[in-house]
């Protein structure tokens, strides 16, 4: 039962704050809409493409583990 | 899922609706116009005109029975009109799309399967006023090229509807992956 409650938490907002970057700016850099960045930040998505993840990590100069957490 | 709006569909929707209404109207016109009633009576019953006399009552019965089959096709046309309307509004991958395709397929299938039933009932209705020994019923399970195509397209559309339902689910899921 405990395993079912575990989920992937998106901590993109934390990393954006650390890099002092706005969602709009990130969206422009990685080529997706601001609305999709907001959805990603709120975790209201079913998945994230490796392509998008690569671009985010490149722009924010971080590792996937810095924006995704399993708990 | 919203994609581009199809201008052709904007025209096709009312045209298809008009065809749906025309089907019922033409069928009614044929049965109630004495000159045309003979040809439509032969077409539906498969019985030669020499075996019955067309009266207002058996013409009415013939119209009623044939309307049953025609209404099924008309319903199918209205379903297609609804699909065209969705395309015109830019809705291509709605949940309802697969159901509408399936409904059209089912209406074609029922239309096709009703043919022998309608033929038998129309024959009976037309010869019902004859003396008991001269009443006729014509049942034929023979299917011509057009009938076969309608039957196959109907079955195919039901399966296509299922495929579209799966495609819609995948498109919806894909839209939630960033």
């Amino acid at each position: 039962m405990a395993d079912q409650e575990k989920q992937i938490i998106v901590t993109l907002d934390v990393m954006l704050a650390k890099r002092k970057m706005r969602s709009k700016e990130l969206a422009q850099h990685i080529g997706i809409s601001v609305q999709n960045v907001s959805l990603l930040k709120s975790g209201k998505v079913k998945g994230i493409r490796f392509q998008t993840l690569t671009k985010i990590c490149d722009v924010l100069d971080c590792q996937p583990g810095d924006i995704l957490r399993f708990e | 899922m919203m994609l581009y709006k199809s201008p052709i569909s904007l025209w096709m929707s009312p045209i298809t609706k008009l065809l749906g209404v025309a089907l019922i109207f033409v069928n009614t016109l044929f049965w109630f116009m004495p000159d045309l009633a003979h040809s439509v009576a032969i077409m539906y019953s498969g019985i030669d005109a020499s075996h019955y006399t067309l009266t207002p009552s058996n013409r009415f019965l013939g119209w009623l029975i044939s309307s049953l089959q025609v209404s099924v096709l008309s319903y199918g046309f209205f379903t297609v009109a609804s699909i065209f309307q969705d395309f015109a509004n830019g809705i291509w991958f709605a949940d309802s799309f697969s159901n509408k395709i399936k409904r059209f397929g089912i209406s074609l299938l029922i239309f096709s399967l009703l043919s022998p039933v309608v033929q038998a009932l129309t024959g009976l209705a037309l010869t019902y006023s004859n003396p008991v020994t001269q009443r006729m019923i014509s049942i034929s399970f023979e299917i011509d090229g057009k009938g076969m195509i309608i039957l196959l397209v109907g079955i195919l559309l039901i399966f296509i509807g299922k495929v579209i339902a799966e495609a819609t689910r995948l498109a919806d899921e894909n839209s939630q992956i960033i």
Side-chain angles (χ1 to χ4, degrees):
Chain A
M1 287 298 285
D3 283 346
Q4 284 178 347
E5 289 164 9
K6 285 186 173 180
Q7 56 183 327
I8 300 288
I9 306 291
V10 181
T11 54
L12 181 62
D13 49 348
V14 177
M15 191 48 71
L16 279 171
K18 279 183 185 172
R19 297 290 185 259
K20 291 177 183 160
M21 190 183 281
R22 291 186 172 193
S23 297
K24 191 179 174 183
E25 203 179 336
L26 177 70
Q28 282 170 344
H29 274 104
I30 62 175
I32 65 171
S33 65
V34 181
Q35 190 189 5
N36 277 343
V37 172
S38 299
L39 286 171
L40 197 58
K41 275 166 63 184
S42 62
K44 290 175 183 172
V45 290
K46 280 198 174 172
I48 178 168
R49 291 189 180 88
F50 280 132
Q51 190 187 17
T52 312
L53 192 59
T54 306
K55 284 178 183 172
I56 293 172
C57 289
D58 185 34
V59 171
L60 297 178
D61 190 26
C62 65
Q63 292 298 311
D66 295 330
I67 53 172
L68 297 173
R69 209 170 64 237
F70 178 62
E71 60 181 39
Chain B
M1 184 181 280
M2 290 282 286
L3 291 170
Y4 66 92
K5 295 182 178 185
S6 165
I8 297 169
S9 295
L10 198 64
W11 288 98
M12 285 307 291
S13 178
I15 288 171
T16 317
K17 275 182 192 168
L18 201 68
L19 282 172
V21 175
L23 274 174
I24 295 172
F25 177 74
V26 169
N27 184 52
T28 308
L29 190 77
F30 268 64
W31 278 106
F32 290 98
M33 295 282 280
D35 297 340
L36 301 170
H38 277 290
S39 57
V40 80
I42 295 168
M43 188 183 86
Y44 276 108
S45 68
I47 299 171
D48 191 73
S50 60
H51 294 101
Y52 53 83
T53 308
L54 283 176
T55 61
S57 61
N58 67 10
R59 273 196 346 228
F60 175 76
L61 276 175
W63 167 77
L64 203 65
I65 294 160
S66 62
S67 291
L68 181 79
Q69 191 185 20
V70 171
S71 301
V72 172
L73 196 60
S74 182
Y75 170 78
F77 274 44
F78 272 86
T79 309
V80 173
S82 170
I83 293 171
F84 281 132
Q85 191 59 55
D86 283 348
F87 289 166
N89 292 331
I91 303 165
W92 295 80
F93 274 111
D95 288 339
S96 59
F97 181 47
S98 59
N99 284 329
K100 285 174 185 172
I101 288 283
K102 264 192 269 182
R103 283 211 307 259
F104 181 53
I106 290 167
S107 66
L108 287 184
L109 190 66
I110 293 173
F111 175 81
S112 193
L113 295 176
L114 270 178
S115 286
V117 180
V118 167
Q119 186 180 10
L121 291 176
T122 313
L124 193 67
L126 292 173
T127 58
Y128 194 73
S129 55
N130 290 358
V132 177
T133 53
Q134 290 175 31
R135 288 178 190 167
M136 294 175 80
I137 186 164
S138 164
I139 300 173
S140 170
F141 293 101
E142 186 188 10
I143 191 160
D144 62 356
K146 268 192 285 184
M148 183 61 85
I149 288 170
I150 292 171
L151 188 73
L152 287 177
V153 169
I155 294 169
L156 187 66
L157 283 176
I158 294 169
F159 282 100
I160 288 175
K162 284 179 188 287
V163 172
I164 290 170
E166 182 62 16
T168 306
R169 191 190 64 75
L170 289 173
D172 184 51
E173 197 173 274
N174 197 44
S175 70
Q176 292 181 59
I177 296 173
I178 293 171

